[in-house]
Amino acid sequence: MTALPSGLLGVLDATSDRAVFRQIADQLREAIGKGHFAEGAKLPSESELVGHYGVSRMTVRNALSVLQGEGLVHSEHGKGVFVRPRPPVRRLASDRFARHHRDQGKSAFTVEAEAAGSHSQVDNLQVREERPSADVSARLGSPLRVLVRHRRYLLDGRPVEFATSYLPLDIAKGTPIAAPNPGPGGIYARLEELGHRLERFEEEVRARMPTPPEAKTLRLAPGVPVIRLVRTAYDTKGRAVEVCDTVMAADAYVLAYELPAQ
Amino acid sequence: MTALPSGLLGVLDATSDRAVFRQIADQLREAIGKGHFAEGAKLPSESELVGHYGVSRMTVRNALSVLQGEGLVHSEHGKGVFVRPRPPVRRLASDRFARHHRDQGKSAFTVEAEAAGSHSQVDNLQVREERPSADVSARLGSPLRVLVRHRRYLLDGRPVEFATSYLPLDIAKGTPIAAPNPGPGGIYARLEELGHRLERFEEEVRARMPTPPEAKTLRLAPGVPVIRLVRTAYDTKGRAVEVCDTVMAADAYVLAYELPAQ
């Protein structure tokens, strides 16, 4: 039985009413939090933990599965359990849709990516027409049909979000908005050229665990939630001209906003 | 062996490379999504699922644990597995800190709760002084010491968030802000009376799985993430006068924001 470096992990509290596997998970979590196991580092093996704590292998496995469920560690078959590296977090600024960014001919995603020194890509692009869902219809003022633009965004090769935009067909049909590449500045620049000068955006933010297809599309580790962000763009006449429904890897983002005090 | 109502759940695809327990989880998830099992309804028992699919009890248990991890169902020992009721979601409006709400002598939490027809409570109130963490210090302009106000919020008896506010001690010491009950309109009203007229708030939004103490404090079901919201309040002189660090049950909230297009 291999001994762990002394002091790295503590002993169990036999008088506690906290289950033994939870106590072990607590100690490993604390050691990770303190940096005793760095990002990407291997945790002690199951055998080492069995030896250290004097518990069954099943108890050790339960402890490790708690940490996996929290997204703190991931297991590699036959190799062991590792501290999950934290991906770089992108801070989305509260002025990310301001005109001075669009005037540079760049999309908000590209602007943010470049500000963070990252390489951005878009894939899985799909453009189609359809009848809107009840929710999209209510947000867009009940258009009969909508143009749908779907795409996935990658940063430095890692998928971080996918988004579906819905625009009333009477605005978008036969315009560059319906083209696979809508051109510099993206669909917001095209909307303004078509006379829909943008005034404001509303965003609604929620968080939940991903569905299995979402976890696959974003290559999410276990225990990583998604942020769901629904944005509605309004023109200066008060018309809702686009709804964008976005699912983001929660470990890749921090969203920044400003709120008025007046 | 009890037979399930015909058509409620499908058959397994033996040619699929998707693991059998995942196929079963997919079918149960779809049936829940379609409302075939309503909120609070009991899922078929393990024995019924074993009989229906012709698989081992372990496979059925793995399928159910997938759904539990997603927060869709919860198990009650000895009773079965139930579709988790979705709590009512509170929409936090983008003008929730506007002065006209504070002028009514109510806190933002109370205003939002009443708008939703809910009963609000605050408990676990703690007020103390301490040296700020590096993060709080950086946000508040490096005060030597801060006043700390901690509290938990409940809606209709359910804990939905807990929050810790940090204020520079030179502003807050010896004022009603340091009292357990700071009076009508809360600490923002008191800050303005002390000459710190508020101009704007910055909020940073993240989502992650809860730590075990957070899950306990908010009584979170498995598979429910938390939203972490850090708000900084600025006065009209541009000074940061408060940082509020909030952890919210993600299944209880949708956060609404406005973004400028100009």
Side-chain angles (χ1 to χ4, degrees):
Chain A
M1 203 73 75
T2 323
L4 294 180
S6 83
L8 194 60
L9 295 170
V11 295
L12 299 173
D13 178 357
T15 68
S16 169
D17 59 0
R18 190 158 175 80
V20 166
F21 75 97
R22 293 201 188 279
Q23 290 189 44
I24 296 173
D26 291 346
Q27 293 190 8
L28 287 166
R29 187 186 304 105
E30 189 182 339
I32 292 168
K34 287 182 173 168
H36 296 161
F37 301 107
E39 290 188 9
K42 188 173 179 301
L43 290 191
S45 70
E46 284 182 13
S47 300
E48 287 170 327
L49 292 168
V50 163
H52 177 81
Y53 288 112
V55 298
S56 73
R57 189 167 288 261
M58 183 57 72
T59 299
V60 163
R61 285 189 182 159
N62 286 343
L64 292 171
S65 91
V66 167
L67 300 180
Q68 188 156 339
E70 293 168 8
L72 283 180
V73 304
H74 64 107
S75 75
E76 293 184 22
H77 192 66
K79 291 187 184 169
V81 175
F82 297 83
V83 180
R84 205 164 62 76
R86 299 272 151 179
V89 169
R90 300 179 61 220
R91 187 177 193 277
L92 295 193
S94 58
D95 71 343
R96 62 189 180 277
F97 294 112
R99 187 161 290 111
H100 62 91
H101 290 313
R102 280 178 278 131
D103 284 347
Q104 296 165 17
K106 295 170 183 171
S107 73
F109 188 86
T110 309
V111 169
E112 294 284 343
E114 290 181 0
S118 290
H119 171 65
S120 67
Q121 285 167 270
V122 178
D123 71 1
N124 290 3
L125 181 70
Q126 299 160 36
V127 183
R128 61 179 188 272
E129 297 178 8
E130 67 180 29
R131 273 166 58 110
S133 69
D135 180 65
V136 167
S137 179
R139 291 175 193 269
L140 283 180
S142 308
L144 286 177
R145 293 183 68 77
V146 288
L147 183 82
V148 183
R149 297 185 58 92
H150 178 86
R151 65 277 188 195
R152 184 174 71 158
Y153 293 98
L154 300 91
L155 268 188
D156 298 327
R158 184 204 166 196
V160 289
E161 65 179 88
F162 60 88
T164 311
S165 287
Y166 304 89
L167 299 103
L169 206 54
D170 69 281
I171 292 179
K173 194 175 178 74
T175 75
I177 294 171
N181 179 353
I187 61 176
Y188 291 154
R190 296 298 85 71
L191 278 167
E192 299 213 316
E193 288 164 6
L194 291 165
H196 297 282
R197 191 168 170 84
L198 298 175
E199 181 155 281
R200 65 190 180 88
F201 301 89
E202 280 180 10
E203 290 194 343
E204 288 185 355
V205 181
R206 294 171 177 79
R208 55 168 170 73
M209 288 310 281
T211 64
E214 289 170 345
K216 192 173 174 187
T217 299
L218 296 175
R219 292 186 217 140
L220 297 175
V224 177
V226 290
I227 293 175
R228 176 156 172 239
L229 194 158
V230 178
R231 178 173 58 252
T232 308
Y234 292 90
D235 69 13
T236 51
K237 292 172 195 127
R239 180 172 179 188
V241 292
E242 185 224 22
V243 167
C244 185
D245 190 337
T246 303
V247 176
M248 318 167 94
D251 61 353
Y253 281 99
V254 46
L255 308 176
Y257 295 99
E258 283 220 358
L259 296 168
Q262 309 302 323
Chain B
M1 202 73 74
T2 322
L4 293 180
S6 83
L8 194 59
L9 296 170
V11 295
L12 299 173
D13 178 357
T15 68
S16 170
D17 60 358
R18 190 158 174 81
V20 166
F21 76 97
R22 295 203 188 276
Q23 290 189 45
I24 296 173
D26 292 345
Q27 294 190 8
L28 288 166
R29 186 186 305 107
E30 189 182 340
I32 293 168
K34 287 182 173 169
H36 296 161
F37 301 107
E39 290 187 10
K42 189 174 178 299
L43 289 191
S45 70
E46 284 181 12
S47 301
E48 286 170 326
L49 292 168
V50 163
H52 177 80
Y53 287 112
V55 297
S56 73
R57 189 168 288 262
M58 182 57 71
T59 298
V60 163
R61 283 186 183 160
N62 286 343
L64 293 170
S65 91
V66 167
L67 300 179
Q68 189 156 338
E70 294 168 8
L72 283 180
V73 304
H74 64 107
S75 74
E76 293 184 23
H77 191 67
K79 291 187 182 168
V81 175
F82 297 82
V83 179
R84 206 165 61 76
R86 300 272 150 177
V89 170
R90 301 178 61 223
R91 188 178 192 277
L92 296 193
S94 58
D95 71 343
R96 61 190 182 275
F97 294 112
R99 187 161 289 111
H100 62 91
H101 289 312
R102 281 178 278 130
D103 284 347
Q104 296 166 15
K106 295 170 183 170
S107 73
F109 188 86
T110 309
V111 168
E112 294 284 342
E114 290 181 358
S118 290
H119 171 65
S120 66
Q121 284 168 271
V122 178
D123 70 1
N124 291 4
L125 182 70
Q126 300 160 36
V127 184
R128 62 178 187 274
E129 297 177 9
E130 67 181 27
R131 272 165 58 110
S133 69
D135 180 67
V136 167
S137 179
R139 291 173 193 270
L140 283 179
S142 307
L144 287 176
R145 292 182 69 78
V146 288
L147 182 82
V148 182
R149 297 185 59 92
H150 178 85
R151 65 277 189 195
R152 184 173 71 158
Y153 293 98
L154 299 92
L155 269 189
D156 298 327
R158 185 207 164 191
V160 289
E161 66 178 86
F162 60 87
T164 311
S165 287
Y166 304 89
L167 299 103
L169 207 55
D170 69 282
I171 292 178
K173 194 175 177 74
T175 74
I177 294 171
N181 179 355
I187 61 175
Y188 291 154
R190 296 298 85 69
L191 278 167
E192 299 213 316
E193 288 164 8
L194 291 166
H196 297 281
R197 191 166 170 85
L198 297 175
E199 181 156 280
R200 65 190 180 88
F201 301 90
E202 281 181 8
E203 290 195 342
E204 288 185 354
V205 180
R206 292 170 179 77
R208 56 169 170 73
M209 288 310 281
T211 64
E214 288 170 344
K216 191 173 175 186
T217 299
L218 296 175
R219 292 185 218 141
L220 297 175
V224 177
V226 290
I227 293 175
R228 176 153 174 242
L229 194 158
V230 178
R231 179 174 56 252
T232 307
Y234 292 89
D235 69 13
T236 51
K237 291 172 196 129
R239 180 173 180 189
V241 293
E242 184 225 21
V243 167
C244 185
D245 190 337
T246 304
V247 176
M248 317 167 93
D251 62 352
Y253 281 100
V254 47
L255 309 176
Y257 294 99
E258 283 219 0
L259 296 168
Q262 307 304 323

